[in-house]
Amino acid sequence: MNSFGEDLRMERVSRGIALEQITAVTKISQQYLIALEQERFRLLPAASSVRYYPRLRGSAVGPGSI
């Protein structure tokens, strides 16, 4: 069973989507997207501003990606 971050990265890669594309669509910093994929949550900003990152990222990658 893969971890949350591994699942995010594998879904993105399987769809051929670059982090730069997700950044352009969601306006989430590439640095934060990398932190999500690496499960380095301490590098993310305060919880109140991060709540919607997985949903925004999922909408950029496509349906069923979360």
Side-chain angles (χ1 to χ4, degrees), residues 4-19:
F4 173 76
E6 289 171 343
D7 285 342
L8 288 176
R9 189 188 73 71
M10 286 175 34
E11 186 67 32
R12 176 181 61 77
V13 170
S14 73
R15 294 176 186 239
I17 300 172
L19 285 171

Side-chain angles (χ1 to χ4, degrees), residues 2-54:
N2 294 328
S3 67
F4 173 76
E6 289 171 343
D7 285 342
L8 288 176
R9 189 188 73 71
M10 286 175 34
E11 186 67 32
R12 176 181 61 77
V13 170
S14 73
R15 294 176 186 239
I17 300 172
L19 285 171
E20 294 83 4
Q21 291 172 285
I22 297 173
T23 296
V25 171
T26 64
K27 307 302 183 216
I28 298 172
S29 164
Q30 188 171 338
Q31 168 187 345
Y32 295 151
L33 294 173
I34 292 168
L36 281 172
E37 288 187 356
Q38 294 177 349
E39 297 183 39
R40 299 178 73 193
F41 304 116
R42 62 182 168 73
L43 300 178
L44 299 173
S48 62
S49 61
V50 177
R51 265 169 66 172
Y52 301 105
Y53 279 14

Side-chain angles (χ1 to χ4, degrees), residues 54-65:
R55 183 175 303 185
L56 285 170
R57 188 198 175 284
S59 67
V61 172
S65 63

